[in-house]
Amino acid sequence: MAGPEKTEFEIVLRNQGDNELSFEFPTSQKYEITVLDANKKDVYQYSEGKSFTQAFETLTLKPQEKMKWVDSWDYSMAGKRVPEGEYTVTAHLKATNINGEPVRDKKLLTDTKTMYIPGENPVFKGAVSDGIKGNYKIKGEARPINGKFFYTVEDGHNQLIPETEMKTGGKYPQWKPFSLEISIPESKLPQNGSVILNLYERSKDGEIIHTHPVLLERFNNHN
């Protein structure tokens, strides 16, 4: 899930069979994540700079049980943000034995996806959201050219809050902090899907520019 300022990796290990599965790991590291650019150059590796306990560990999953790990990356490599473009993400489970049997085909424990990393937004940065069930507080920094920006809230299908204007008290190139409080009736929230805040400004011609999406909440079978 590649956002404007960081990407979130979600690894899910699920036992879809009818028998219990025990995964044996030679260290406390359960997985590895690597990100390659278009030239196959390694720009991110989960284990880099981390230390792991050198002792065998076992993870047991009952039938239909799952385990989830989440990791994030702020697009930095050697202190600089990587350029906009398409990247390849590979996640590998580091188990060496399953139910006492050696893992012979490591491809079965490996998954590869592509993601598109957006360019750095010149107008918004550091936007974070706090809150649940339709009530959210958002803080960040902005430097719109005309000293004001706009926002809407939608769930991918419906607009939950129409375009609203926000003045920052400052203009480009000076960054100014901003804060928003948003309230959405629970009856309007999606049962499945994400509630997204879209920050943006408008050009002299009225066109939407410098859009910056912020995830407010993700719902799954919400009641």
PDB file of all heavy atoms in Angstrom, residues 85-105:
ATOM      1  N   GLY A  85       8.259   6.275  -9.447  1.00  0.00           N
ATOM      2  CA  GLY A  85       8.319   5.212 -10.444  1.00  0.00           C
ATOM      3  C   GLY A  85       7.827   3.882  -9.922  1.00  0.00           C
ATOM      4  O   GLY A  85       7.320   3.780  -8.802  1.00  0.00           O
ATOM      5  N   GLU A  86       7.975   2.851 -10.765  1.00  0.00           N
ATOM      6  CA  GLU A  86       7.506   1.509 -10.421  1.00  0.00           C
ATOM      7  C   GLU A  86       8.637   0.708  -9.773  1.00  0.00           C
ATOM      8  O   GLU A  86       9.774   0.729 -10.241  1.00  0.00           O
ATOM      9  CB  GLU A  86       7.005   0.793 -11.669  1.00  0.00           C
ATOM     10  CG  GLU A  86       6.190  -0.457 -11.372  1.00  0.00           C
ATOM     11  CD  GLU A  86       5.478  -1.000 -12.598  1.00  0.00           C
ATOM     12  OE1 GLU A  86       6.101  -1.797 -13.316  1.00  0.00           O
ATOM     13  OE2 GLU A  86       4.303  -0.624 -12.829  1.00  0.00           O
ATOM     14  N   TYR A  87       8.287  -0.010  -8.715  1.00  0.00           N
ATOM     15  CA  TYR A  87       9.259  -0.808  -7.968  1.00  0.00           C
ATOM     16  C   TYR A  87       8.711  -2.215  -7.760  1.00  0.00           C
ATOM     17  O   TYR A  87       7.492  -2.426  -7.785  1.00  0.00           O
ATOM     18  CB  TYR A  87       9.559  -0.156  -6.616  1.00  0.00           C
ATOM     19  CG  TYR A  87      10.327   1.139  -6.727  1.00  0.00           C
ATOM     20  CD1 TYR A  87       9.688   2.325  -7.114  1.00  0.00           C
ATOM     21  CD2 TYR A  87      11.688   1.203  -6.460  1.00  0.00           C
ATOM     22  CE1 TYR A  87      10.393   3.517  -7.240  1.00  0.00           C
ATOM     23  CE2 TYR A  87      12.405   2.397  -6.577  1.00  0.00           C
ATOM     24  CZ  TYR A  87      11.747   3.539  -6.959  1.00  0.00           C
ATOM     25  OH  TYR A  87      12.449   4.713  -7.096  1.00  0.00           O
ATOM     26  N   THR A  88       9.624  -3.147  -7.547  1.00  0.00           N
ATOM     27  CA  THR A  88       9.246  -4.538  -7.317  1.00  0.00           C
ATOM     28  C   THR A  88       9.479  -4.898  -5.851  1.00  0.00           C
ATOM     29  O   THR A  88      10.581  -4.690  -5.333  1.00  0.00           O
ATOM     30  CB  THR A  88      10.070  -5.486  -8.210  1.00  0.00           C
ATOM     31  OG1 THR A  88       9.866  -5.121  -9.579  1.00  0.00           O
ATOM     32  CG2 THR A  88       9.624  -6.931  -8.015  1.00  0.00           C
ATOM     33  N   VAL A  89       8.444  -5.427  -5.208  1.00  0.00           N
ATOM     34  CA  VAL A  89       8.516  -5.810  -3.801  1.00  0.00           C
ATOM     35  C   VAL A  89       8.467  -7.333  -3.696  1.00  0.00           C
ATOM     36  O   VAL A  89       7.567  -7.971  -4.255  1.00  0.00           O
ATOM     37  CB  VAL A  89       7.341  -5.224  -2.993  1.00  0.00           C
ATOM     38  CG1 VAL A  89       7.503  -5.524  -1.501  1.00  0.00           C
ATOM     39  CG2 VAL A  89       7.216  -3.733  -3.222  1.00  0.00           C
ATOM     40  N   THR A  90       9.427  -7.907  -2.986  1.00  0.00           N
ATOM     41  CA  THR A  90       9.436  -9.346  -2.762  1.00  0.00           C
ATOM     42  C   THR A  90       9.434  -9.631  -1.264  1.00  0.00           C
ATOM     43  O   THR A  90      10.265  -9.096  -0.523  1.00  0.00           O
ATOM     44  CB  THR A  90      10.670 -10.012  -3.406  1.00  0.00           C
ATOM     45  OG1 THR A  90      10.634  -9.777  -4.817  1.00  0.00           O
ATOM     46  CG2 THR A  90      10.664 -11.518  -3.154  1.00  0.00           C
ATOM     47  N   ALA A  91       8.492 -10.453  -0.827  1.00  0.00           N
ATOM     48  CA  ALA A  91       8.424 -10.881   0.572  1.00  0.00           C
ATOM     49  C   ALA A  91       8.698 -12.379   0.617  1.00  0.00           C
ATOM     50  O   ALA A  91       8.166 -13.148  -0.185  1.00  0.00           O
ATOM     51  CB  ALA A  91       7.047 -10.578   1.153  1.00  0.00           C
ATOM     52  N   HIS A  92       9.545 -12.769   1.563  1.00  0.00           N
ATOM     53  CA  HIS A  92       9.920 -14.180   1.679  1.00  0.00           C
ATOM     54  C   HIS A  92       9.824 -14.638   3.119  1.00  0.00           C
ATOM     55  O   HIS A  92      10.372 -14.003   4.020  1.00  0.00           O
ATOM     56  CB  HIS A  92      11.349 -14.396   1.155  1.00  0.00           C
ATOM     57  CG  HIS A  92      11.872 -15.780   1.391  1.00  0.00           C
ATOM     58  ND1 HIS A  92      11.315 -16.887   0.772  1.00  0.00           N
ATOM     59  CD2 HIS A  92      12.862 -16.237   2.191  1.00  0.00           C
ATOM     60  CE1 HIS A  92      11.967 -17.970   1.185  1.00  0.00           C
ATOM     61  NE2 HIS A  92      12.906 -17.610   2.043  1.00  0.00           N
ATOM     62  N   LEU A  93       9.092 -15.720   3.355  1.00  0.00           N
ATOM     63  CA  LEU A  93       9.001 -16.306   4.687  1.00  0.00           C
ATOM     64  C   LEU A  93      10.280 -17.102   4.940  1.00  0.00           C
ATOM     65  O   LEU A  93      10.681 -17.929   4.119  1.00  0.00           O
ATOM     66  CB  LEU A  93       7.772 -17.227   4.783  1.00  0.00           C
ATOM     67  CG  LEU A  93       7.348 -17.625   6.194  1.00  0.00           C
ATOM     68  CD1 LEU A  93       6.740 -16.425   6.920  1.00  0.00           C
ATOM     69  CD2 LEU A  93       6.353 -18.772   6.146  1.00  0.00           C
ATOM     70  N   LYS A  94      10.924 -16.881   6.083  1.00  0.00           N
ATOM     71  CA  LYS A  94      12.248 -17.447   6.349  1.00  0.00           C
ATOM     72  C   LYS A  94      12.211 -18.838   6.986  1.00  0.00           C
ATOM     73  O   LYS A  94      13.232 -19.324   7.494  1.00  0.00           O
ATOM     74  CB  LYS A  94      13.026 -16.498   7.273  1.00  0.00           C
ATOM     75  CG  LYS A  94      13.245 -15.110   6.699  1.00  0.00           C
ATOM     76  CD  LYS A  94      14.318 -15.081   5.630  1.00  0.00           C
ATOM     77  CE  LYS A  94      15.693 -15.160   6.252  1.00  0.00           C
ATOM     78  NZ  LYS A  94      16.772 -15.017   5.244  1.00  0.00           N
ATOM     79  N   ALA A  95      11.053 -19.503   6.947  1.00  0.00           N
ATOM     80  CA  ALA A  95      10.957 -20.849   7.520  1.00  0.00           C
ATOM     81  C   ALA A  95      11.828 -21.827   6.731  1.00  0.00           C
ATOM     82  O   ALA A  95      11.878 -21.777   5.496  1.00  0.00           O
ATOM     83  CB  ALA A  95       9.507 -21.325   7.514  1.00  0.00           C
ATOM     84  N   THR A  96      12.504 -22.725   7.467  1.00  0.00           N
ATOM     85  CA  THR A  96      13.340 -23.742   6.810  1.00  0.00           C
ATOM     86  C   THR A  96      12.703 -25.125   6.867  1.00  0.00           C
ATOM     87  O   THR A  96      13.044 -26.002   6.068  1.00  0.00           O
ATOM     88  CB  THR A  96      14.732 -23.796   7.469  1.00  0.00           C
ATOM     89  OG1 THR A  96      14.571 -23.967   8.890  1.00  0.00           O
ATOM     90  CG2 THR A  96      15.502 -22.506   7.214  1.00  0.00           C
ATOM     91  N   ASN A  97      11.769 -25.320   7.828  1.00  0.00           N
ATOM     92  CA  ASN A  97      11.057 -26.597   7.946  1.00  0.00           C
ATOM     93  C   ASN A  97       9.577 -26.349   8.205  1.00  0.00           C
ATOM     94  O   ASN A  97       9.216 -25.388   8.886  1.00  0.00           O
ATOM     95  CB  ASN A  97      11.618 -27.446   9.094  1.00  0.00           C
ATOM     96  CG  ASN A  97      13.018 -27.951   8.822  1.00  0.00           C
ATOM     97  OD1 ASN A  97      13.216 -28.935   8.127  1.00  0.00           O
ATOM     98  ND2 ASN A  97      14.003 -27.250   9.366  1.00  0.00           N
ATOM     99  N   ILE A  98       8.733 -27.213   7.635  1.00  0.00           N
ATOM    100  CA  ILE A  98       7.292 -27.172   7.909  1.00  0.00           C
ATOM    101  C   ILE A  98       6.870 -28.567   8.353  1.00  0.00           C
ATOM    102  O   ILE A  98       7.060 -29.543   7.613  1.00  0.00           O
ATOM    103  CB  ILE A  98       6.481 -26.742   6.671  1.00  0.00           C
ATOM    104  CG1 ILE A  98       6.927 -25.353   6.201  1.00  0.00           C
ATOM    105  CG2 ILE A  98       4.988 -26.720   6.990  1.00  0.00           C
ATOM    106  CD1 ILE A  98       6.253 -24.883   4.933  1.00  0.00           C
ATOM    107  N   ASN A  99       6.349 -28.650   9.568  1.00  0.00           N
ATOM    108  CA  ASN A  99       5.985 -29.944  10.176  1.00  0.00           C
ATOM    109  C   ASN A  99       7.158 -30.933  10.131  1.00  0.00           C
ATOM    110  O   ASN A  99       6.996 -32.121   9.847  1.00  0.00           O
ATOM    111  CB  ASN A  99       4.757 -30.552   9.502  1.00  0.00           C
ATOM    112  CG  ASN A  99       3.477 -29.810   9.865  1.00  0.00           C
ATOM    113  OD1 ASN A  99       3.505 -28.883  10.676  1.00  0.00           O
ATOM    114  ND2 ASN A  99       2.365 -30.201   9.272  1.00  0.00           N
ATOM    115  N   GLY A 100       8.351 -30.404  10.388  1.00  0.00           N
ATOM    116  CA  GLY A 100       9.537 -31.249  10.455  1.00  0.00           C
ATOM    117  C   GLY A 100      10.179 -31.578   9.118  1.00  0.00           C
ATOM    118  O   GLY A 100      11.255 -32.179   9.079  1.00  0.00           O
ATOM    119  N   GLU A 101       9.529 -31.200   8.029  1.00  0.00           N
ATOM    120  CA  GLU A 101      10.058 -31.490   6.693  1.00  0.00           C
ATOM    121  C   GLU A 101      10.756 -30.245   6.135  1.00  0.00           C
ATOM    122  O   GLU A 101      10.208 -29.142   6.199  1.00  0.00           O
ATOM    123  CB  GLU A 101       8.929 -31.907   5.744  1.00  0.00           C
ATOM    124  CG  GLU A 101       8.271 -33.233   6.102  1.00  0.00           C
ATOM    125  CD  GLU A 101       9.203 -34.419   5.904  1.00  0.00           C
ATOM    126  OE1 GLU A 101      10.037 -34.361   4.959  1.00  0.00           O
ATOM    127  OE2 GLU A 101       9.125 -35.368   6.697  1.00  0.00           O
ATOM    128  N   PRO A 102      11.956 -30.408   5.562  1.00  0.00           N
ATOM    129  CA  PRO A 102      12.666 -29.259   4.988  1.00  0.00           C
ATOM    130  C   PRO A 102      11.885 -28.614   3.841  1.00  0.00           C
ATOM    131  O   PRO A 102      11.215 -29.303   3.072  1.00  0.00           O
ATOM    132  CB  PRO A 102      13.975 -29.867   4.460  1.00  0.00           C
ATOM    133  CG  PRO A 102      14.129 -31.162   5.183  1.00  0.00           C
ATOM    134  CD  PRO A 102      12.735 -31.660   5.444  1.00  0.00           C
ATOM    135  N   VAL A 103      11.969 -27.296   3.760  1.00  0.00           N
ATOM    136  CA  VAL A 103      11.345 -26.561   2.657  1.00  0.00           C
ATOM    137  C   VAL A 103      12.276 -26.660   1.448  1.00  0.00           C
ATOM    138  O   VAL A 103      13.364 -26.090   1.439  1.00  0.00           O
ATOM    139  CB  VAL A 103      11.115 -25.084   3.025  1.00  0.00           C
ATOM    140  CG1 VAL A 103      10.537 -24.321   1.833  1.00  0.00           C
ATOM    141  CG2 VAL A 103      10.174 -24.974   4.223  1.00  0.00           C
ATOM    142  N   ARG A 104      11.864 -27.407   0.442  1.00  0.00           N
ATOM    143  CA  ARG A 104      12.717 -27.635  -0.727  1.00  0.00           C
ATOM    144  C   ARG A 104      12.524 -26.564  -1.802  1.00  0.00           C
ATOM    145  O   ARG A 104      13.439 -26.230  -2.530  1.00  0.00           O
ATOM    146  CB  ARG A 104      12.455 -29.033  -1.302  1.00  0.00           C
ATOM    147  CG  ARG A 104      12.928 -30.153  -0.373  1.00  0.00           C
ATOM    148  CD  ARG A 104      12.742 -31.526  -1.008  1.00  0.00           C
ATOM    149  NE  ARG A 104      13.346 -32.574  -0.189  1.00  0.00           N
ATOM    150  CZ  ARG A 104      12.741 -33.149   0.839  1.00  0.00           C
ATOM    151  NH1 ARG A 104      11.517 -32.773   1.165  1.00  0.00           N
ATOM    152  NH2 ARG A 104      13.359 -34.088   1.547  1.00  0.00           N
ATOM    153  N   ASP A 105      11.306 -26.056  -1.921  1.00  0.00           N
ATOM    154  CA  ASP A 105      11.025 -25.041  -2.933  1.00  0.00           C
ATOM    155  C   ASP A 105      10.710 -23.715  -2.238  1.00  0.00           C
ATOM    156  O   ASP A 105       9.586 -23.490  -1.786  1.00  0.00           O
ATOM    157  CB  ASP A 105       9.847 -25.478  -3.818  1.00  0.00           C
ATOM    158  CG  ASP A 105       9.632 -24.531  -4.999  1.00  0.00           C
ATOM    159  OD1 ASP A 105      10.380 -23.527  -5.108  1.00  0.00           O
ATOM    160  OD2 ASP A 105       8.722 -24.790  -5.802  1.00  0.00           O
TER     161      ASP A 105
END
